[in-house]
Amino acid sequence: MNLKELSNLLGLSQTTVSRALNGYPEVSEATRKRVAEFAEKMNYQPNPNAQRLAMGKSLTIGHVVPVADHDMINPHFTDFIAGAGEVYNRRGYDMLISVVNADEQVKTYMDLVRNKRVDGVIVHGPTNDDERIAILNEMGLPFVVHGRTNDPDDSYSWVDVNNEESFREATEYLLSLGHRRIGLINGWEHMTFAAKRRSGFEAALRSHNVEPDENLMISREMIEPNGHAAMCQFMESGRPPTAVLCSSILTAMGALRALRERDLTPGKDISVIGFDDCLSFLPSTGEDGSLTALRSGIRLAGKHCADILIDQIENDTGNRGLLLQAEMTIGASTGKAREPAPA
Amino acid sequence: MNLKELSNLLGLSQTTVSRALNGYPEVSEATRKRVAEFAEKMNYQPNPNAQRLAMGKSLTIGHVVPVADHDMINPHFTDFIAGAGEVYNRRGYDMLISVVNADEQVKTYMDLVRNKRVDGVIVHGPTNDDERIAILNEMGLPFVVHGRTNDPDDSYSWVDVNNEESFREATEYLLSLGHRRIGLINGWEHMTFAAKRRSGFEAALRSHNVEPDENLMISREMIEPNGHAAMCQFMESGRPPTAVLCSSILTAMGALRALRERDLTPGKDISVIGFDDCLSFLPSTGEDGSLTALRSGIRLAGKHCADILIDQIENDTGNRGLLLQAEMTIGASTGKAREPAPA
DNA sequence: TTGTAAGCGTTATCAA
DNA sequence: TTGATAACGCTTACAA
């Protein structure tokens, strides 16, 4: 059933039917109702490809997902698209996912826009100097960044979490417990969020006259095995830290595993704080309170990104930035430092 | 740059240029080369919406992802789409993801096909009596099931793993170690894979004259906290099992956590076997050998699904089934039963 | 308030 | 081997 057939059956022109269906003001209430009811009865649905071609719009949002290491998708992505997908569904958009090698990213964006494949994109995993911001702005493709870059905050839309501040806060907390040798198991620091976290971490240390120690800062992909390896490296070094900050719940899990293997008790022998993105398939740190954590749900970030992007596409609302607050919950994995703090 | 402009510049008709670009045989080698080179130089890309409209094809594969519990996406999905996405990319297809409530699934499929939004779909999470098989067959929409249903194997395409056999094998192994009270922490058993695993489990027990005990079989969503809760339930029951089989690495992790909390050592105090889908963000059980596991990479399943589906779409290859073999690796988490086996 | 007709950018049919 | 021309199914000036 297409528009032509439908309008023939109704004895109206395609134009009128189209207008009635799309809520144009000039069509009479009577015909609008008649058309709507008949379309419903005939189970008519417009062909999106034709619509897209005619309007030059795609009603689709693109996600370009770089695969790191040739074969891994960031597990946080699942929760992000759960949030975003819900919004797309509600607002009538499709989600198009391109899984590409990291070095094909820009090309993929350009193809998407040239081909009018999407009306906007979500930018994942922004780096400090991310070339994509300038390129997308130049192309005029609406986009929202999940995270931030070094570009001015008002030169693009973004949804981010208070990385610097929350890590400063967490570090301050550890310092207040008497810890002076504090380790950081971070994500890749060319990613802005990780760089910011390190900044907050170092700032807190310096404000307490503790010089950051390169040997206590490790930067890796945030997966469980890397958290484990990093903690092992710490423990096997001559002077292990008395507390460790992990940038992800996954690395925190790995770190805790390394402690267990050594029969060390978190919160007693060594303190651990993790950043918890509230991944839905993992235990929520809030429930049993076993882990002291900074928490901010990544699914929520997905929702906000989607809503901001669609607002921007449909209503030309300008650039918008949204800073989510990660909150610290004190659990059992942190405690007073055993080593006396150096004078 | 569109086809019209391109052909004007070339002094050829749109038809000829189109044919040259699409590799039709009747165009002369000389012009084909000239066209190809010029298109490349002009950076010409056909408009997919127009192509789709003209061909009635969408060059897109749909994934309908039901959200369980209103807000969770199965974490195994990430790895699946990593595999499938790679193939789509290589073969020129887009991946369209619809995140919908479970009860909207069929409607979503119907919309996708009616709107010619996709050329085929991947069916996730098949249940024993899955209405989708019949519906999709009736609609004539090509599809591949990740897993199987109770329908005849040759009535649809599928990629599955040897659930029944591998769980029988794992159970046999535990029996051979002297275990008689064996627990099963399974996924939802209306899902075929989980039902099959239970079958294999029970068959092995019965072949050794052990009557399956309902109190030792738990069926839940396969996430870490549920594995933990299930193991706790076992341990707090009057007679805990001496060995446990987990349907997922995530539930296995939760189960192991419960053991740690009780200072029990896997492989000594209680044996644990997990089914490892080789999720990329978790430690691979093969490496350190701490866990006895059945292994089969879910990313590989994603690749196969995508390839089979596209073959089916493009070359009308009929239904095809592919059974992957999960292999058991003996690790440290299994050992001889302590309780003497009842005579 | 409704209708006519011209796009949108391809592919496909038929003729040359 | 190439080229007109008609689909594909919709939206949108412009006209009535």
Side-chain angles (χ1 to χ4, degrees), chain A residues 69-82:
Chain A
D69 298 15
H70 269 281
D71 61 4
M72 152 150 18
I73 289 191
N74 187 320
H76 301 85
F77 183 65
T78 308
D79 269 65
F80 185 92
I81 62 168

Side-chain angles (χ1 to χ4, degrees), chain A residues 43 45 48-49 52-53 71 75 78 89 94-95 97 99 114-115 117 224 253 260 281 283 299, chain B residues 43 45 48-49 52-53 71 75 78 89 94-95 97 99 114-117 224 253 260 281 283 299:
Chain A
N43 207 3
Q45 298 262 134
N49 291 324
R52 281 185 249 271
L53 180 59
D71 61 4
T78 308
N89 230 26
D94 283 332
M95 169 162 57
I97 297 196
V99 179
R114 179 170 46 208
N115 298 342
R117 228 22 220 104
E224 206 269 5
M253 285 170 52
R260 282 198 304 275
F281 51 89
R299 176 159 0 148
Chain B
N43 207 3
Q45 299 262 135
N49 291 325
R52 280 184 247 273
L53 180 59
D71 61 5
T78 308
N89 231 24
D94 283 332
M95 169 163 56
I97 296 196
V99 179
R114 179 169 46 207
N115 298 342
K116 302 218 177 77
R117 220 39 212 94
E224 206 271 4
M253 285 171 51
R260 282 197 305 274
F281 51 90
R299 180 167 16 202

Side-chain angles (χ1 to χ4, degrees), chain B residues 25-60:
Chain B
E26 62 262 35
V27 55
S28 82
E29 201 43 53
T31 51
R32 148 161 307 121
K33 200 174 163 194
R34 189 162 74 93
V35 169
E37 277 168 4
F38 191 66
E40 169 78 11
K41 184 175 144 209
M42 290 284 101
N43 207 3
Y44 166 80
Q45 299 262 135
N47 176 320
N49 291 325
Q51 268 181 321
R52 280 184 247 273
L53 180 59
M55 301 191 298
K57 299 208 151 212
S58 65
L59 297 178
T60 302

Side-chain angles (χ1 to χ4, degrees), chain B residues 156-200:
Chain B
Y156 61 99
S157 284
W158 50 269
V159 173
D160 200 3
V161 67
N162 58 339
N163 288 302
E164 185 155 7
E165 185 191 330
S166 61
F167 266 60
R168 180 151 38 72
E169 185 191 354
T171 310
E172 298 265 6
Y173 176 65
L174 291 171
L175 288 161
S176 77
L177 290 171
H179 296 279
R180 287 301 178 270
R181 288 188 62 73
I182 305 179
L184 175 67
I185 301 178
N186 207 355
W188 290 122
E189 289 173 356
H190 63 273
M191 309 280 256
T192 314
F193 80 92
K196 293 279 181 204
R197 290 175 182 188
R198 177 170 172 152
S199 296

Side-chain angles (χ1 to χ4, degrees), chain A residues 206-225:
Chain A
R206 290 213 170 89
S207 76
H208 286 247
N209 297 315
V210 179
E211 189 54 30
D213 180 348
E214 283 295 336
N215 296 318
L216 293 180
M217 299 189 274
I218 292 179
S219 168
R220 299 260 181 82
E221 177 103 30
M222 302 190 298
I223 59 176
E224 206 269 5

Side-chain angles (χ1 to χ4, degrees), chain A residues 128-171:
Chain A
N128 296 319
D129 292 304
D130 202 307
E131 55 174 356
R132 292 175 293 177
I133 308 301
I135 291 175
L136 289 169
N137 268 328
E138 202 173 321
M139 296 196 298
L141 181 67
F143 66 99
V144 173
V145 179
H146 180 213
R148 270 181 291 178
T149 71
N150 278 347
D151 299 80
D153 274 2
D154 60 357
S155 64
Y156 60 99
S157 284
W158 50 268
V159 172
D160 200 4
V161 67
N162 58 340
N163 288 303
E164 185 155 8
E165 185 191 328
S166 61
F167 266 60
R168 181 152 35 73
E169 185 191 354
T171 310

